[in-house]
Coordinates of all heavy atoms in Angstrom, one line a residue:
M778 N 0.9 -1.2 0.0 CA 0.0 0.0 0.0 C 0.9 1.2 0.0 O 1.9 1.3 0.8 CB -0.9 0.0 1.2 CG -2.0 1.0 1.1 SD -3.2 1.0 2.5 CE -3.8 -0.7 2.5
P779 N 0.6 2.2 -0.8 CA 1.4 3.4 -0.9 C 1.3 4.3 0.3 O 0.3 4.3 1.0 CB 0.9 4.2 -2.1 CG -0.4 3.6 -2.4 CD -0.5 2.2 -1.8
E780 N 2.4 5.0 0.6 CA 2.5 6.0 1.7 C 1.7 7.3 1.2 O 1.6 7.6 0.0 CB 3.9 6.3 2.0 CG 4.1 7.2 3.1 CD 5.6 7.5 3.4 OE1 6.4 6.7 3.0 OE2 5.9 8.5 3.9
L781 N 1.2 8.0 2.2 CA 0.4 9.2 1.9 C 1.3 10.4 2.4 O 1.8 10.5 3.5 CB -0.9 9.2 2.7 CG -1.9 10.2 2.4 CD1 -2.3 10.2 0.9 CD2 -3.1 10.0 3.2
E782 N 1.4 11.4 1.5 CA 2.2 12.6 1.8 C 1.4 13.9 1.4 O 0.8 13.9 0.3 CB 3.5 12.6 0.9 CG 4.2 13.9 0.8 CD 5.3 13.9 -0.3 OE1 4.9 13.9 -1.5 OE2 6.4 13.8 0.1
W783 N 1.3 14.8 2.3 CA 0.7 16.1 2.1 C 1.8 17.1 1.7 O 2.7 17.3 2.5 CB 0.0 16.6 3.3 CG -1.3 15.9 3.6 CD1 -1.5 14.7 4.2 CD2 -2.6 16.4 3.2 NE1 -2.8 14.4 4.3 CE2 -3.5 15.5 3.7 CE3 -3.1 17.6 2.6 CZ2 -4.9 15.6 3.5 CZ3 -4.4 17.7 2.4 CH2 -5.3 16.8 2.9
R784 N 1.8 17.7 0.6 CA 2.7 18.7 0.2 C 2.3 20.0 1.0 O 1.2 20.2 1.4 CB 2.6 19.0 -1.3 CG 3.1 17.9 -2.2 CD 4.6 17.8 -2.2 NE 5.1 16.7 -3.0 CZ 5.5 16.9 -4.3 NH1 5.4 18.0 -4.9 NH2 6.0 15.8 -4.9
W785 N 3.3 20.9 1.1 CA 3.1 22.1 1.8 C 2.0 22.9 1.2 O 1.2 23.5 1.9 CB 4.4 22.9 1.8 CG 4.3 24.2 2.5 CD1 4.4 24.5 3.9 CD2 3.9 25.5 1.9 NE1 4.1 25.8 4.2 CE2 3.9 26.4 3.0 CE3 3.7 25.9 0.6 CZ2 3.5 27.8 2.7 CZ3 3.4 27.2 0.4 CH2 3.3 28.1 1.5
T786 N 2.0 22.9 -0.2 CA 1.0 23.7 -0.9 C -0.5 23.2 -0.5 O -1.4 24.1 -0.3 CB 1.1 23.6 -2.4 OG1 1.3 22.3 -2.8 CG2 2.4 24.4 -2.8
A787 N -0.6 21.9 -0.4 CA -2.0 21.4 0.0 C -2.3 21.8 1.4 O -3.5 22.1 1.7 CB -2.0 19.9 -0.2
R788 N -1.4 21.7 2.3 CA -1.7 22.1 3.7 C -2.0 23.6 3.8 O -2.9 24.0 4.5 CB -0.5 21.8 4.6 CG -0.3 20.3 4.9 CD -1.4 19.9 5.9 NE -1.3 18.5 6.2 CZ -2.3 17.8 6.7 NH1 -3.4 18.3 6.9 NH2 -2.1 16.5 6.9
E789 N -1.3 24.4 3.0 CA -1.6 25.8 3.0 C -3.0 26.1 2.4 O -3.8 26.9 2.9 CB -0.5 26.6 2.2 CG -0.7 28.1 2.1 CD -0.6 28.7 3.5 OE1 -0.1 28.1 4.5 OE2 -1.0 29.9 3.6
D790 N -3.4 25.3 1.3 CA -4.7 25.4 0.8 C -5.8 25.1 1.8 O -6.8 25.9 1.9 CB -4.9 24.5 -0.4 CG -4.1 24.8 -1.6 OD1 -3.7 26.0 -1.8 OD2 -3.8 23.9 -2.4
L791 N -5.6 24.1 2.6 CA -6.5 23.7 3.6 C -6.6 24.8 4.7 O -7.7 25.2 5.1 CB -6.1 22.4 4.4 CG -6.4 21.1 3.7 CD1 -5.9 20.0 4.6 CD2 -7.9 21.0 3.5
R792 N -5.5 25.4 5.1 CA -5.5 26.5 6.0 C -6.4 27.7 5.5 O -7.2 28.2 6.3 CB -4.1 26.9 6.4 CG -4.1 28.0 7.5 CD -2.7 28.6 7.6 NE -2.3 29.3 6.5 CZ -2.7 30.6 6.2 NH1 -3.6 31.2 6.9 NH2 -2.2 31.2 5.1
V793 N -6.1 28.1 4.3 CA -6.8 29.2 3.7 C -8.3 28.9 3.6 O -9.2 29.8 3.9 CB -6.2 29.6 2.3 CG1 -7.1 30.6 1.6 CG2 -4.8 30.1 2.5
I794 N -8.7 27.7 3.1 CA -10.1 27.4 3.0 C -10.8 27.4 4.4 O -11.9 27.9 4.6 CB -10.3 26.0 2.4 CG1 -9.9 26.1 0.9 CG2 -11.7 25.4 2.5 CD1 -9.7 24.7 0.2
F795 N -10.1 26.8 5.4 CA -10.6 26.7 6.7 C -10.8 28.1 7.3 O -11.9 28.4 7.8 CB -9.7 25.9 7.7 CG -10.2 25.9 9.1 CD1 -11.1 25.0 9.4 CD2 -9.7 26.7 10.0 CE1 -11.6 24.9 10.7 CE2 -10.1 26.7 11.3 CZ -11.1 25.8 11.7
E796 N -9.9 29.0 7.2 CA -10.0 30.4 7.7 C -11.1 31.1 7.0 O -11.9 31.9 7.7 CB -8.7 31.1 7.5 CG -7.6 30.6 8.5 CD -6.3 31.4 8.4 OE1 -6.2 32.3 7.5 OE2 -5.4 31.0 9.2
Y797 N -11.2 31.0 5.7 CA -12.3 31.7 5.0 C -13.7 31.2 5.4 O -14.5 32.1 5.7 CB -12.1 31.4 3.5 CG -13.2 32.1 2.6 CD1 -13.1 33.5 2.3 CD2 -14.2 31.4 2.1 CE1 -14.0 34.1 1.6 CE2 -15.2 32.0 1.3 CZ -15.1 33.4 1.1 OH -16.0 34.0 0.3
I798 N -13.9 29.9 5.5 CA -15.2 29.4 5.9 C -15.5 29.7 7.4 O -16.6 30.0 7.7 CB -15.3 27.9 5.6 CG1 -15.3 27.7 4.1 CG2 -16.7 27.3 6.1 CD1 -15.2 26.2 3.7
S799 N -14.5 29.6 8.2 CA -14.7 29.7 9.6 C -15.0 31.2 10.0 O -15.6 31.4 11.1 CB -13.5 29.2 10.4 OG -12.4 30.0 10.2
D800 N -14.7 32.1 9.2 CA -15.2 33.5 9.5 C -16.7 33.6 9.6 O -17.2 34.4 10.4 CB -14.7 34.4 8.3 CG -13.2 34.8 8.4 OD1 -12.6 34.5 9.4 OD2 -12.7 35.3 7.4
D801 N -17.4 32.8 8.8 CA -18.9 32.8 8.9 C -19.4 31.6 9.7 O -20.5 31.7 10.3 CB -19.5 32.7 7.5 CG -19.2 34.0 6.7 OD1 -19.2 35.1 7.3 OD2 -19.0 33.9 5.5
N802 N -18.8 30.4 9.6 CA -19.3 29.2 10.2 C -18.2 28.3 10.6 O -17.8 27.4 9.8 CB -20.3 28.6 9.2 CG -21.1 27.5 9.8 OD1 -20.7 26.9 10.8 ND2 -22.2 27.2 9.2
P803 N -17.7 28.4 11.8 CA -16.6 27.6 12.3 C -16.9 26.1 12.2 O -16.1 25.3 11.9 CB -16.3 28.0 13.7 CG -16.8 29.4 13.8 CD -18.0 29.4 12.8
A804 N -18.1 25.7 12.6 CA -18.5 24.3 12.6 C -18.5 23.7 11.1 O -18.0 22.6 10.9 CB -19.9 24.1 13.2
A805 N -18.9 24.5 10.2 CA -18.9 24.0 8.8 C -17.5 23.9 8.3 O -17.1 23.0 7.5 CB -19.7 25.0 7.9
A806 N -16.6 24.8 8.7 CA -15.2 24.8 8.3 C -14.6 23.5 8.8 O -13.8 22.8 8.1 CB -14.5 26.0 8.8
L807 N -14.8 23.2 10.1 CA -14.2 22.0 10.7 C -14.8 20.7 10.0 O -14.0 19.8 9.8 CB -14.5 22.0 12.2 CG -13.9 20.9 13.0 CD1 -12.4 20.9 12.8 CD2 -14.2 21.0 14.5
A808 N -16.1 20.7 9.7 CA -16.7 19.6 9.1 C -16.1 19.3 7.7 O -15.8 18.2 7.4 CB -18.2 19.7 9.0
L809 N -15.8 20.4 7.0 CA -15.2 20.2 5.6 C -13.8 19.7 5.8 O -13.4 18.8 5.0 CB -15.2 21.5 4.9 CG -14.5 21.5 3.5 CD1 -15.2 20.5 2.6 CD2 -14.5 22.9 2.9
L810 N -13.0 20.3 6.7 CA -11.7 19.9 6.9 C -11.6 18.4 7.3 O -10.8 17.6 6.7 CB -11.0 20.7 8.0 CG -9.6 20.5 8.3 CD1 -8.7 21.0 7.1 CD2 -9.2 21.3 9.6
E811 N -12.5 18.0 8.2 CA -12.5 16.5 8.6 C -12.9 15.6 7.4 O -12.3 14.6 7.2 CB -13.5 16.4 9.7 CG -12.9 16.9 11.0 CD -13.9 16.9 12.2 OE1 -15.1 16.5 12.0 OE2 -13.5 17.2 13.3
E812 N -13.9 16.1 6.6 CA -14.3 15.3 5.5 C -13.2 15.1 4.4 O -13.0 14.0 3.9 CB -15.5 15.9 4.8 CG -16.1 15.1 3.6 CD -17.3 15.8 3.0 OE1 -17.9 16.8 3.6 OE2 -17.7 15.3 1.9
I813 N -12.4 16.2 4.2 CA -11.3 16.1 3.3 C -10.3 15.1 3.8 O -9.8 14.2 3.1 CB -10.7 17.5 3.0 CG1 -11.7 18.3 2.2 CG2 -9.3 17.4 2.3 CD1 -11.3 19.8 2.1
E814 N -9.9 15.2 5.1 CA -8.9 14.4 5.7 C -9.3 12.9 5.7 O -8.5 12.0 5.4 CB -8.5 14.9 7.0 CG -7.7 16.2 6.9 CD -7.2 16.7 8.2 OE1 -7.6 16.3 9.3 OE2 -6.3 17.6 8.2
V815 N -10.6 12.6 6.0 CA -11.0 11.3 6.0 C -11.0 10.7 4.6 O -10.5 9.6 4.4 CB -12.5 11.2 6.5 CG1 -13.1 9.8 6.2 CG2 -12.5 11.4 8.0
K816 N -11.5 11.4 3.6 CA -11.5 10.9 2.2 C -10.0 10.7 1.7 O -9.8 9.7 1.0 CB -12.3 11.8 1.3 CG -13.8 11.7 1.5 CD -14.6 12.5 0.5 CE -16.1 12.2 0.8 NZ -16.9 12.9 -0.2
V817 N -9.2 11.6 2.0 CA -7.8 11.5 1.6 C -7.1 10.3 2.3 O -6.4 9.6 1.7 CB -7.0 12.8 1.9 CG1 -5.5 12.6 1.8 CG2 -7.4 13.9 0.9
G818 N -7.5 10.1 3.5 CA -7.0 8.9 4.3 C -7.3 7.6 3.6 O -6.6 6.6 3.9
H819 N -8.3 7.5 2.8 CA -8.7 6.3 2.1 C -8.0 6.1 0.8 O -8.1 5.0 0.2 CB -10.2 6.2 1.9 CG -11.0 6.0 3.2 ND1 -10.9 4.9 4.0 CD2 -11.8 6.8 3.9 CE1 -11.7 5.0 5.0 NE2 -12.2 6.2 5.0
L820 N -7.3 7.1 0.3 CA -6.7 7.0 -1.0 C -5.7 5.9 -1.1 O -5.7 5.2 -2.2 CB -6.0 8.3 -1.3 CG -6.8 9.4 -2.0 CD1 -6.0 10.7 -2.1 CD2 -7.4 9.0 -3.3
P821 N -4.9 5.5 -0.2 CA -4.0 4.4 -0.3 C -4.7 3.1 -0.7 O -4.1 2.2 -1.3 CB -3.2 4.3 1.0 CG -3.2 5.7 1.5 CD -4.6 6.2 1.1
E822 N -5.9 2.9 -0.2 CA -6.7 1.7 -0.5 C -7.1 1.6 -2.0 O -7.1 0.5 -2.5 CB -7.9 1.6 0.4 CG -7.6 1.6 1.9 CD -8.8 2.0 2.7 OE1 -9.9 1.9 2.2 OE2 -8.5 2.3 3.9
Q823 N -7.4 2.7 -2.6 CA -7.9 2.8 -4.0 C -7.4 4.1 -4.6 O -8.3 4.9 -4.9 CB -9.4 2.6 -4.1 CG -9.9 1.3 -3.6 CD -11.4 1.2 -3.9 OE1 -12.2 2.1 -3.6 NE2 -11.8 0.0 -4.4
P824 N -6.2 4.2 -4.9 CA -5.7 5.5 -5.5 C -6.2 5.9 -6.8 O -6.2 7.0 -7.2 CB -4.2 5.3 -5.5 CG -3.9 3.9 -5.4 CD -5.1 3.3 -4.7
Q825 N -6.7 4.9 -7.6 CA -7.1 5.1 -9.0 C -8.7 5.3 -9.0 O -9.2 5.2 -10.1 CB -6.6 4.1 -9.9 CG -5.1 4.1 -10.0 CD -4.6 3.1 -11.0 OE1 -5.3 2.3 -11.5 NE2 -3.3 3.2 -11.3
A826 N -9.3 5.4 -7.9 CA -10.8 5.5 -7.8 C -11.3 6.8 -8.4 O -12.5 6.9 -8.7 CB -11.2 5.3 -6.4
Y827 N -10.5 7.8 -8.5 CA -10.9 9.1 -8.9 C -10.5 9.5 -10.3 O -9.5 8.9 -10.8 CB -10.5 10.2 -7.9 CG -11.1 9.9 -6.5 CD1 -10.4 9.2 -5.6 CD2 -12.4 10.3 -6.2 CE1 -11.0 8.9 -4.3 CE2 -13.0 10.0 -5.0 CZ -12.3 9.3 -4.1 OH -12.9 9.0 -2.9
R828 N -11.1 10.5 -10.9 CA -10.9 10.8 -12.3 C -9.4 11.3 -12.6 O -8.7 11.8 -11.7 CB -11.8 11.9 -12.7 CG -11.6 13.3 -12.1 CD -12.6 14.2 -12.5 NE -12.3 15.6 -12.1 CZ -13.2 16.5 -11.9 NH1 -14.5 16.3 -12.2 NH2 -12.9 17.7 -11.5
V829 N -9.0 11.1 -13.8 CA -7.7 11.5 -14.3 C -7.8 13.1 -14.2 O -8.8 13.7 -14.6 CB -7.5 11.0 -15.7 CG1 -6.2 11.6 -16.3 CG2 -7.4 9.5 -15.7
G830 N -6.7 13.6 -13.8 CA -6.6 15.1 -13.6 C -6.4 15.8 -14.9 O -6.0 15.3 -15.9
R831 N -6.6 17.1 -14.8 CA -6.3 18.0 -16.0 C -4.9 18.2 -16.3 O -4.5 18.5 -17.4 CB -7.0 19.3 -15.8 CG -8.5 19.2 -15.9 CD -9.2 20.5 -15.4 NE -9.6 20.2 -14.0 CZ -10.4 21.1 -13.3 NH1 -10.7 22.2 -13.8 NH2 -10.7 20.8 -12.1
M832 N -4.0 18.0 -15.3 CA -2.6 18.0 -15.5 C -2.1 16.6 -15.7 O -2.5 15.7 -14.9 CB -1.9 18.7 -14.4 CG -2.1 20.2 -14.4 SD -1.1 21.1 -13.2 CE 0.5 20.9 -13.9
I833 N -1.2 16.4 -16.6 CA -0.7 15.0 -16.8 C -0.1 14.5 -15.5 O 0.7 15.2 -14.8 CB 0.4 15.1 -17.9 CG1 -0.2 15.4 -19.3 CG2 1.1 13.7 -18.0 CD1 0.7 15.7 -20.4
G834 N -0.4 13.2 -15.2 CA 0.1 12.5 -14.1 C -0.6 12.8 -12.8 O -0.1 12.4 -11.7
T835 N -1.7 13.5 -12.8 CA -2.5 13.8 -11.6 C -3.9 13.1 -11.7 O -4.3 12.7 -12.7 CB -2.7 15.3 -11.4 OG1 -3.5 15.9 -12.4 CG2 -1.3 16.0 -11.3
R836 N -4.5 13.1 -10.5 CA -5.9 12.7 -10.4 C -6.6 13.7 -9.5 O -6.0 14.5 -8.8 CB -6.0 11.3 -9.7 CG -5.5 10.2 -10.6 CD -5.8 8.8 -10.1 NE -5.6 7.8 -11.1 CZ -6.4 7.4 -12.0 NH1 -7.6 8.0 -12.1 NH2 -6.1 6.5 -12.9
E837 N -7.9 13.8 -9.7 CA -8.7 14.8 -9.0 C -9.9 14.1 -8.2 O -10.7 13.4 -8.8 CB -9.3 15.8 -9.9 CG -8.2 16.6 -10.7 CD -8.8 17.6 -11.7 OE1 -10.0 17.8 -11.7 OE2 -7.9 18.2 -12.4
M838 N -9.9 14.3 -6.9 CA -10.9 13.8 -6.1 C -11.9 14.9 -5.8 O -11.5 16.0 -5.3 CB -10.4 13.3 -4.7 CG -11.4 12.9 -3.7 SD -10.8 12.9 -2.0 CE -9.7 11.5 -2.1
V839 N -13.2 14.7 -6.1 CA -14.2 15.7 -5.8 C -14.7 15.4 -4.4 O -15.3 14.3 -4.2 CB -15.4 15.7 -6.8 CG1 -16.4 16.7 -6.5 CG2 -14.8 15.9 -8.2
V840 N -14.4 16.3 -3.5 CA -14.8 16.0 -2.1 C -16.3 16.5 -1.9 O -17.1 15.7 -1.4 CB -13.9 16.8 -1.1 CG1 -14.4 16.6 0.3 CG2 -12.5 16.3 -1.3
R841 N -16.6 17.6 -2.4 CA -17.9 18.1 -2.5 C -18.0 18.8 -3.8 O -17.0 19.0 -4.4 CB -18.2 19.2 -1.4 CG -18.2 18.6 0.0 CD -18.6 19.6 1.0 NE -18.6 19.1 2.4 CZ -18.8 19.8 3.4 NH1 -19.0 21.1 3.3 NH2 -18.8 19.3 4.6
P842 N -19.2 19.2 -4.3 CA -19.2 19.7 -5.6 C -18.2 20.9 -5.9 O -17.8 21.1 -7.0 CB -20.7 20.2 -5.8 CG -21.4 19.3 -4.9 CD -20.5 19.0 -3.7
N843 N -17.9 21.6 -4.8 CA -17.0 22.8 -5.0 C -15.6 22.6 -4.5 O -14.8 23.6 -4.6 CB -17.6 24.0 -4.2 CG -18.9 24.5 -4.9 OD1 -19.0 24.4 -6.2 ND2 -19.8 25.0 -4.2
Y844 N -15.2 21.4 -4.0 CA -13.8 21.2 -3.5 C -13.2 20.0 -4.2 O -13.7 19.0 -4.2 CB -13.8 21.1 -2.0 CG -14.2 22.4 -1.4 CD1 -15.5 22.7 -1.0 CD2 -13.2 23.4 -1.2 CE1 -15.9 23.9 -0.4 CE2 -13.6 24.6 -0.7 CZ -14.9 24.9 -0.3 OH -15.2 26.1 0.2
L845 N -11.9 20.3 -4.6 CA -11.1 19.2 -5.3 C -9.8 19.0 -4.5 O -9.2 19.9 -4.1 CB -10.8 19.7 -6.7 CG -11.9 20.0 -7.7 CD1 -11.3 20.6 -8.9 CD2 -12.7 18.8 -8.0
V846 N -9.5 17.7 -4.5 CA -8.1 17.4 -4.0 C -7.4 16.9 -5.2 O -7.8 15.9 -5.8 CB -8.2 16.3 -2.9 CG1 -6.8 15.8 -2.5 CG2 -9.0 16.8 -1.7
I847 N -6.3 17.5 -5.5 CA -5.4 17.1 -6.6 C -4.2 16.3 -6.0 O -3.6 16.8 -5.1 CB -4.8 18.4 -7.3 CG1 -5.9 19.4 -7.6 CG2 -4.1 18.0 -8.6 CD1 -7.1 19.0 -8.4
Y848 N -4.0 15.1 -6.6 CA -2.9 14.3 -6.1 C -2.2 13.6 -7.3 O -2.7 13.5 -8.4 CB -3.5 13.3 -5.1 CG -4.4 12.3 -5.6 CD1 -4.0 11.0 -5.9 CD2 -5.8 12.5 -5.7 CE1 -4.9 10.0 -6.4 CE2 -6.7 11.6 -6.1 CZ -6.2 10.3 -6.5 OH -7.1 9.4 -6.9
R849 N -1.0 13.1 -7.0 CA -0.2 12.3 -7.9 C 0.0 11.0 -7.2 O 0.3 11.0 -6.0 CB 1.1 13.0 -8.2 CG 2.0 12.3 -9.1 CD 3.2 13.1 -9.6 NE 2.6 14.1 -10.6 CZ 2.9 15.4 -10.5 NH1 3.5 15.9 -9.5 NH2 2.4 16.2 -11.4
E850 N 0.0 9.9 -7.9 CA 0.2 8.6 -7.3 C 1.2 7.8 -8.1 O 1.3 7.8 -9.3 CB -1.1 7.8 -7.2 CG -1.9 7.7 -8.4 CD -2.1 6.2 -8.9 OE1 -1.5 5.3 -8.3 OE2 -2.7 6.1 -9.9
T851 N 2.0 7.1 -7.3 CA 3.0 6.1 -7.8 C 2.7 4.8 -7.0 O 2.0 4.9 -6.0 CB 4.4 6.6 -7.6 OG1 4.7 6.6 -6.2 CG2 4.7 7.9 -8.3
P852 N 3.3 3.7 -7.3 CA 3.1 2.5 -6.6 C 3.5 2.7 -5.1 O 2.9 2.0 -4.2 CB 4.0 1.5 -7.2 CG 4.1 2.0 -8.7 CD 4.1 3.5 -8.5
D853 N 4.4 3.6 -4.8 CA 4.9 3.7 -3.4 C 4.4 4.9 -2.6 O 4.5 5.0 -1.4 CB 6.4 3.7 -3.4 CG 7.0 2.4 -3.9 OD1 6.4 1.4 -3.7 OD2 8.0 2.5 -4.6
L854 N 3.9 5.9 -3.4 CA 3.6 7.2 -2.8 C 2.4 7.9 -3.4 O 2.2 7.9 -4.6 CB 4.8 8.1 -2.9 CG 4.7 9.5 -2.2 CD1 4.6 9.4 -0.7 CD2 5.9 10.3 -2.7
I855 N 1.5 8.5 -2.6 CA 0.4 9.3 -3.0 C 0.7 10.7 -2.4 O 0.8 10.9 -1.2 CB -0.9 8.9 -2.5 CG1 -1.3 7.5 -3.1 CG2 -2.0 9.9 -2.9 CD1 -2.5 6.9 -2.6
S856 N 1.0 11.7 -3.3 CA 1.3 13.1 -2.9 C 0.1 13.9 -3.1 O -0.4 14.1 -4.2 CB 2.4 13.6 -3.7 OG 3.6 12.9 -3.5
I857 N -0.4 14.5 -2.0 CA -1.5 15.5 -2.1 C -0.9 16.8 -2.5 O -0.1 17.4 -1.7 CB -2.3 15.6 -0.8 CG1 -2.7 14.2 -0.3 CG2 -3.5 16.5 -0.9 CD1 -3.5 13.4 -1.2
L858 N -1.2 17.3 -3.7 CA -0.6 18.5 -4.2 C -1.3 19.7 -3.9 O -0.7 20.7 -3.5 CB -0.5 18.3 -5.8 CG 0.2 17.1 -6.3 CD1 0.1 17.0 -7.8 CD2 1.7 17.0 -5.8
R859 N -2.6 19.7 -4.1 CA -3.4 20.9 -3.8 C -4.8 20.5 -3.3 O -5.3 19.4 -3.6 CB -3.7 21.7 -5.1 CG -2.4 22.2 -5.9 CD -1.6 23.3 -5.1 NE -2.4 24.4 -4.7 CZ -2.5 25.6 -5.3 NH1 -1.9 25.7 -6.4 NH2 -3.2 26.5 -4.8
V860 N -5.5 21.5 -2.6 CA -6.9 21.4 -2.3 C -7.5 22.7 -2.7 O -7.1 23.7 -2.2 CB -7.1 21.2 -0.7 CG1 -8.6 21.1 -0.4 CG2 -6.3 19.9 -0.3
L861 N -8.4 22.6 -3.7 CA -8.9 23.8 -4.3 C -10.4 23.9 -4.3 O -11.1 22.9 -4.4 CB -8.4 23.8 -5.8 CG -6.9 23.7 -6.0 CD1 -6.6 23.6 -7.5 CD2 -6.2 25.0 -5.5
H862 N -10.9 25.1 -4.4 CA -12.3 25.4 -4.6 C -12.4 25.3 -6.1 O -11.5 25.7 -6.9 CB -12.7 26.8 -4.1 CG -14.1 27.1 -4.2 ND1 -14.7 27.5 -5.4 CD2 -15.1 27.0 -3.3 CE1 -16.0 27.6 -5.1 NE2 -16.3 27.3 -3.9
A863 N -13.5 24.8 -6.6 CA -13.8 24.6 -8.0 C -13.7 25.8 -8.8 O -13.4 25.8 -10.0 CB -15.1 23.9 -8.2
A864 N -13.9 27.0 -8.2 CA -13.8 28.3 -8.9 C -12.4 28.7 -9.2 O -12.2 29.6 -10.0 CB -14.6 29.3 -8.2
Q865 N -11.5 28.1 -8.5 CA -10.1 28.6 -8.7 C -9.5 28.0 -10.0 O -9.9 27.0 -10.5 CB -9.2 28.0 -7.5 CG -9.4 28.7 -6.2 CD -8.6 28.0 -5.1 OE1 -9.0 27.1 -4.5 NE2 -7.4 28.5 -5.0
M866 N -8.6 28.8 -10.6 CA -8.0 28.4 -11.9 C -7.1 27.2 -11.6 O -6.2 27.3 -10.8 CB -7.2 29.6 -12.4 CG -8.0 30.7 -12.9 SD -9.1 30.4 -14.3 CE -8.0 30.1 -15.6
W867 N -7.3 26.1 -12.4 CA -6.5 25.0 -12.3 C -6.5 24.3 -13.6 O -7.6 24.0 -14.1 CB -7.0 24.0 -11.2 CG -6.2 22.7 -11.1 CD1 -6.6 21.5 -11.5 CD2 -4.9 22.6 -10.6 NE1 -5.6 20.6 -11.4 CE2 -4.6 21.2 -10.8 CE3 -3.9 23.4 -10.1 CZ2 -3.3 20.7 -10.4 CZ3 -2.7 22.9 -9.7 CH2 -2.4 21.5 -9.9
P868 N -5.5 24.0 -14.2 CA -4.1 24.4 -13.8 C -3.8 25.8 -14.1 O -4.4 26.5 -14.9 CB -3.2 23.5 -14.6 CG -4.0 23.1 -15.8 CD -5.5 23.2 -15.4

């Protein structure tokens, strides 16, 4: 089973999303953060379960209709590259 790695950019994306949502609704921000972390935690079990990404070599997990987790997978490692709102430009 591959190892799971969060890149700095993905952790920073999570922080920004959490702060933005928690300004209006701290409970909703925490629930989204937990949902993302739980779903990402299952990636090593089925890393190819999500759609091929728009950038070569990536995949995109839709967490909710407006949130995407961008990751790259190899047999030994799953790297979480970004966590984005669907309205953000990607790539």
